[in-house]
Amino acid sequence: MKVMKFGGTSVGKPQRMQEVASLVTRDDEPKIVVLSALSGTTNALVEISESLANGDRNTAKQQIDSLHGHYQNFITALLKTESALHKANIVLNEHFEFLTIILKISFSEALNKDILAQGELLSTKLFCIYLEESGTDHVLLPALDFMTIDVHDEPQVGTIKVKLAQLLQKNKDKKLFITQGYICRNARGEVDNLKRGGSDYSASLIAAAINASVCEIWTDIDGMHNNDPRVVKKTVPIEQMSFDEAAELAYFGAKILHPASIWPAQTYKIPVRLLNTMEPTAKGTLITEEAGSVGVKAVAAKDNIIAIRIKSSRMLLAYGFLRKIFEVFEKYRTPIDMITTSEVAVTLTIDSDLHLNDILKELEPFGTTEVDKNQVIISVVGNEISQTEDIIKKLFGSIVNIPVRMVSYGGSPHNISLLTDAGHKVQILQQLNKGMFGLE
Ligand code: ADP
Ligand code: ASP
Ligand code: MG
């Protein structure tokens, strides 16, 4: 059995959704198809939620009506028969009525999650109506019946596996299953989600849970590229990379994959393929245990980084000092991305300011702290890059004009990370494209 995940742009236009239907029916292998919301929908739902949170019901109502209009046009172009259109209208009414009803309810975080879930619920239901209209046998598996996260918001493959197996067992004779990416239930049983871009994570978790032959991530580009195509003009796809390399790139900002989406596939040894819905014959990227080749493969940028420097005269090499500092971050469940130390100071970076004030307060007894916001981590990722000749020379040689705030080298054999001011991001990615890959 395999998993095929289609992102927002892959289902964002009626014709694209029809092409997805032909892609999932071209072979006979049983499969679970994971769909995102139509492109733009989750952003629109975020805006509706924000309007409600601000108590601006009129704006929220206008936003809901405009989204409803968009879906009305979508189904008219997607479906042909009266009966399919009738069913699709019932689905739209159900979900847009829900959105209209919440206008009257006071806003809460749980309600926000309910609003955000509407996108994937709509896309999967409309896709199933289209499959039915085209006479394709299939089953809709509600993600809210099997995709769960624990009290720490972590998904557990074991639990998902048991629940999913029960659902599949009930449909033993079926071959094509459709489900929602992104959405899940939390430990309180409420609707929740796997964070923005989370459908990749859903797909990888499902692939791990069913021990899939492959987890295919279908998107709008022909695989992982050597640099961020939104920032740099000329980029090229990478044919093969290891789970470790892909995990570093996903975590350090390559938007094509959700930051956490590699570990389930890696743990359960499921190959991942990144493929292009707009160009299904393109090779894409194969991600397995094998790196394929040695050397630098790609660079990525992670935005919104905060650097914290803790300076202490009494400190650093005294044993136990770093543990005490780390404990503060652990207490506030804030992951540290980069760290460097000197005799008198330690600097580390985090990607969320949610608990920044509490963290700074608790760091006070350890010395003076300085905070730099608006930083960016630039990661150079590849296989055994520390053994690659001239890598440091090439790397720093291509960015001599850019001030680097911090460097992390040797933490893993696959990554060199630099910290710099966010304002240098575009320039540094462009210069690295030329200096490391000879691309302009
Ligand atoms: P989907 O909606 O299918 O999940 P995303 O927009 O989340 O698609 O991810 C695909 C996008 O990721 C591409 O269109 C591209 O702009 C962006 N991207 C950023 N970095 C990379 C990279 N290194 N390789 C490929 N795509 C990247
Ligand atoms: N629809 C969700 C989002 O836009 C999840 C996803 O697309 O992966 O973030
Ligand atoms: Mg995505």
Side-chain angles (χ1 to χ4, degrees), residues 223-229 235-238 240-241 245-246 248-250 252 254 256 285 293 295-301 378-383 385 391 395 414-417 429 432-433 436-437 439:
M224 178 74 80
H225 278 221
N226 73 302
N227 204 329
D228 191 330
T235 60
V236 289
I238 302 158
Q240 194 180 342
M241 60 170 52
E245 291 171 300
E248 300 261 16
L249 284 168
F252 285 111
I256 187 169
T285 301
S293 60
V296 173
K297 298 225 174 93
V299 296
I378 306 291
S379 287
V380 178
V381 174
N383 179 30
I385 49 180
I391 171 104
L395 173 53
H414 317 293
N415 176 315
I416 303 174
S417 289
L429 287 180
L432 287 173
N433 214 40
M436 311 282 305
F437 304 101
L439 296 166

Side-chain angles (χ1 to χ4, degrees), residues 18-253:
Q18 290 163 350
E19 283 158 14
V20 167
S22 66
L23 280 172
V24 304
T25 48
R26 31 173 214 191
D27 66 59
D28 241 12
E29 184 173 359
K31 51 187 74 84
I32 298 185
V33 174
V34 180
L35 298 189
S36 296
L38 314 193
S39 50
T41 296
T42 310
N43 286 347
L45 293 169
V46 168
E47 282 169 16
I48 291 167
S49 233
E50 280 169 0
S51 299
L52 284 174
N54 297 333
D56 188 352
R57 296 203 165 133
N58 286 338
T59 306
K61 175 82 178 82
Q62 282 165 18
Q63 290 163 328
I64 293 168
D65 289 345
S66 143
L67 192 62
H68 196 168
H70 177 71
Y71 274 83
Q72 212 74 62
N73 293 337
F74 187 91
I75 59 166
T76 316
L78 177 74
L79 304 163
K80 283 196 290 285
T81 62
E82 277 304 313
S83 90
L85 273 165
H86 178 67
K87 282 180 192 151
N89 266 312
I90 291 174
V91 167
L92 295 196
N93 287 341
E94 179 198 335
H95 289 275
F96 285 95
E97 246 167 51
F98 167 79
L99 287 173
T100 310
I101 289 167
I102 56 152
L103 284 174
K104 302 183 185 100
I105 306 173
S106 56
F107 185 80
S108 67
E109 197 39 44
L111 196 64
N112 174 39
K113 302 285 176 59
D114 269 321
I115 296 170
L116 297 182
Q118 300 309 306
E120 274 69 12
L121 293 171
L122 277 165
S123 65
T124 45
K125 287 186 189 176
L126 297 181
F127 184 62
C128 286
I129 293 173
Y130 176 71
L131 287 178
E132 194 187 331
E133 184 185 55
S134 359
T136 307
D137 194 24
H138 66 278
V139 177
L140 178 64
L141 295 178
L144 297 177
D145 290 352
F146 66 85
M147 187 57 74
T148 52
I149 51 176
D150 66 13
V151 283
H152 300 303
D153 291 348
E154 294 294 339
Q156 306 292 340
V157 176
T159 319
I160 297 164
K161 188 178 190 149
V162 172
K163 295 188 181 201
L164 201 45
Q166 285 165 355
L167 290 174
L168 292 174
Q169 180 66 22
K170 281 191 197 147
N171 294 287
K172 265 195 292 198
D173 52 330
K174 303 289 181 188
K175 286 192 156 171
L176 180 58
F177 299 91
I178 317 299
T179 192
Q180 298 87 16
Y182 179 59
I183 63 174
C184 62
R185 265 188 209 286
N186 61 28
R188 294 181 296 281
E190 300 157 346
V191 173
D192 211 317
N193 62 63
L194 301 175
K195 311 267 161 32
R196 294 305 304 272
S199 300
D200 304 324
Y201 199 12
S202 304
S204 177
L205 287 161
I206 293 169
I210 63 166
N211 194 23
S213 59
V214 59
C215 176
E216 294 180 353
I217 307 282
W218 289 81
T219 181
D220 58 1
I221 188 164
D222 54 347
M224 178 74 80
H225 278 221
N226 73 302
N227 204 329
D228 191 330
R230 294 166 301 174
V231 178
V232 171
K233 259 200 222 130
K234 177 107 188 73
T235 60
V236 289
I238 302 158
E239 257 183 50
Q240 194 180 342
M241 60 170 52
S242 67
F243 288 123
D244 284 337
E245 291 171 300
E248 300 261 16
L249 284 168
Y251 187 76
F252 285 111

